[in-house]
Amino acid sequence: MITLTGLLVACVVNGDTISSVLHQAAWLVVAITILILVQLIAARCRPARPAGSRFL
């Protein structure tokens, strides 16, 4: 509860609103989700190396 109160006070002091904080958090979640999807797609598209291959 103390952390939530501190967050609210910080938002008021900095002139930010709770909605703008939530808006930024939503964009952060979207960006992280896109990065994870790109990594998964890249891992599936990468050709598998043969077992005896030293180079690559």
Side-chain angles (χ1 to χ4, degrees):
M1 192 63 183
I2 293 174
T3 305
L4 182 60
T5 305
L7 178 65
L8 290 173
V9 170
C11 287
V12 170
V13 169
N14 292 330
D16 294 332
T17 61
I18 296 295
S19 62
S20 67
V21 171
L22 292 176
H23 182 74
Q24 292 298 323
W27 278 112
L28 178 64
V29 169
V30 169
I32 290 173
T33 303
I34 290 172
L35 287 173
I36 290 171
L37 288 174
V38 167
Q39 287 181 346
L40 289 174
I41 292 170
R44 288 185 181 253
C45 293
R46 191 176 305 139
R49 291 190 320 181
S53 175
R54 286 194 204 178
F55 308 105
L56 294 178

